[in-house]
Amino acid sequence: MTLLPSTPVLAQLKALSHEIRYELVRLLAQGERCVCDLELLLALPQSKVSYHLAVLRDAGLVQAEQRGKNIYYTLCQERLFSLGGALLTDVFVSPAALTHQIKSIC
């Protein structure tokens, strides 16, 4: 099996593939949140929440803003919206052949 080279789309999908990060995105879709709010909502320690937010930030899916001692996170909505289109573009590189395939298993 040949693996594809890493692309921004693959990095973003990998970031979203973890259940905690996916839940963070769902919570941030409701609006801006402080790390302490996310800790409470997920019932996770601050270190774990911050780690997963950093992965999402590195993938370009969330952005952070420090206000005083607190850091507030928001979604990069345009990136998430374009991820869907980029994923489809990567998956459907060329039109699918609808004729008999010579190397078919069946």
Side-chain angles (χ1 to χ4, degrees):
M1 177 174 151
T2 304
L3 294 177
L4 295 173
S6 183
T7 65
V9 171
L10 291 176
Q12 291 171 341
L13 289 173
K14 184 176 178 182
L16 288 172
S17 69
H18 193 280
E19 61 189 29
I20 292 174
R21 293 191 288 268
Y22 185 76
E23 189 60 28
L24 283 167
V25 168
R26 289 174 43 86
L27 290 170
L28 292 173
Q30 299 169 13
E32 177 182 76
R33 303 274 185 171
C34 175
V35 173
C36 57
D37 294 333
L38 294 167
E39 289 175 53
L40 182 64
L41 291 167
L42 294 172
L44 293 172
Q46 181 271 327
S47 59
K48 187 170 274 200
V49 172
S50 292
Y51 168 79
H52 288 290
L53 286 167
V55 172
L56 291 169
R57 191 177 60 238
D58 291 345
L61 298 174
V62 300
Q63 55 191 6
E65 179 183 330
Q66 186 162 357
R67 293 187 214 141
K69 293 181 180 182
N70 295 325
I71 298 178
Y72 291 85
Y73 286 85
T74 56
L75 286 181
C76 297
Q77 290 184 1
E78 289 182 21
R79 290 241 174 104
L80 284 166
F81 291 142
S82 66
L83 177 59
L87 173 63
L88 292 174
T89 301
D90 278 359
V91 170
F92 296 105
V93 176
S94 61
L98 299 177
T99 59
H100 178 72
Q101 298 177 11
I102 295 172
K103 293 185 180 181
S104 177
I105 296 173
C106 54

